[in-house]
Amino acid sequence: LNGEVLFKNISFNIERNDKIALLSHDQRATTAFFRIITGEIQPTTGSFAWGQTITTAYLPLDNNEFFQKEISIKDWLGQFSADTTEVFLRGYLGKMLFSGDDINKKCTVLSGGEKMRCMIARMMLQNPNLIMLDHPTNHLDMESIQAFNNTLVKFKGNVLMSSHDHEFIQTVSNRIIEIGPNGMIDKMMEYDDYISDSHIAELREKLYS
């Protein structure tokens, strides 16, 4: 990024049932990684490929560009759906705690948390089997985080996410990948075990030194 190396020598395969927490000391690294694998920006070197049966959805760190139109939450979600009936859209919005007249609220006056909940509803509507989440709990209140957490725990597909929320990572992920200027660490283990392992702590130090 602007001549600075955020990560390099990254190579891994995503296997069935993997729910991966993507870590880095520098949040710019994880965001850049997501932007590369979603095709928003090009890597300096290297390539990636999705399997033929993979359908992806992405929850970006910055979602403001999605909320420029003066339309209701219901009509906003309807932009991304073949079925635009109120009952159908209300079902998805309800999963992210929008109820009653909430769905008529204008997009241009939404809080950061409300925008994130809309984006999560949009992502669920896409029915992906692999979801990418760049700090999804930012701006969310505890009730919304718990609702989303439960959804991800039950989710049958793959998850690739970065987050500062310890409990969120611990309950959702079963694999940890950490990226930095000196390569990567890839461990099939829970987050609590990862951050308490003394050998891994040494590897993490080398990753950034």
Side-chain angles (χ1 to χ4, degrees):
L1 189 68
N2 297 325
E4 185 180 356
V5 176
L6 298 177
F7 58 84
K8 65 180 180 182
N9 300 330
I10 308 301
S11 178
F12 64 90
N13 293 321
I14 299 176
E15 307 295 343
R16 185 186 297 273
N17 300 322
D18 279 353
K19 293 184 177 179
I20 301 169
L22 184 69
L23 310 181
S24 183
H25 280 185
D26 190 338
Q27 183 177 311
R28 295 177 304 161
T30 52
T31 294
F33 185 86
F34 281 123
R35 293 186 68 200
I36 288 170
I37 64 174
T38 56
E40 285 188 12
I41 59 175
Q42 294 297 312
T44 307
T45 60
S47 62
F48 70 93
W50 298 116
Q52 289 188 338
T53 60
I54 297 298
T55 54
T56 65
Y58 173 45
L59 197 66
L61 182 65
D62 182 1
N63 56 41
N64 286 322
E65 66 180 88
F66 288 88
F67 297 95
Q68 303 300 317
K69 292 182 181 178
E70 185 81 22
I71 55 176
S72 68
I73 291 175
K74 176 178 70 71
D75 291 340
W76 179 87
L77 189 62
Q79 297 176 111
F80 310 105
S81 175
D83 186 341
T84 57
T85 61
E86 180 172 323
V87 171
F88 180 78
L89 297 175
R90 190 181 281 278
Y92 280 91
L93 290 168
K95 291 175 185 175
M96 285 317 299
L97 311 180
F98 290 108
S99 60
D101 289 337
D102 290 346
I103 67 169
N104 296 317
K105 198 169 184 178
K106 297 297 184 186
C107 287
T108 48
V109 298
L110 298 181
S111 68
E114 288 170 327
K115 288 177 181 177
M116 185 62 80
R117 284 156 54 202
C118 284
M119 292 294 288
I120 295 170
R122 169 182 176 264
M123 186 178 64
M124 291 191 293
L125 183 64
Q126 292 173 288
N127 195 29
N129 55 27
L130 185 149
I131 55 180
M132 296 166 282
L133 313 170
D134 193 355
H135 291 82
T137 60
N138 285 8
H139 309 297
L140 293 181
D141 58 27
M142 287 306 299
E143 187 181 9
S144 302
I145 291 173
Q146 192 60 56
F148 191 31
N149 188 296
N150 292 340
T151 298
L152 290 179
V153 169
K154 296 173 186 173
F155 182 60
K156 300 298 185 185
N158 292 116
V159 177
L160 182 57
M161 68 172 186
S162 59
S163 177
H164 291 309
D165 189 316
H166 183 116
E167 185 68 17
F168 202 79
I169 297 175
Q170 173 63 20
T171 53
V172 173
S173 64
N174 58 14
R175 180 179 176 186
I176 310 295
I177 293 179
E178 186 162 2
I179 61 176
N182 297 319
M184 65 178 287
I185 302 169
D186 184 354
K187 297 291 182 182
M188 185 67 71
M189 62 199 306
E190 293 188 347
Y191 184 54
D192 282 345
D193 295 333
Y194 182 83
I195 60 176
S196 62
D197 188 302
S198 58
H199 173 63
I200 291 176
E202 294 175 10
L203 296 177
R204 297 181 79 189
E205 194 170 326
K206 292 177 182 175
L207 196 60
Y208 303 101
S209 61

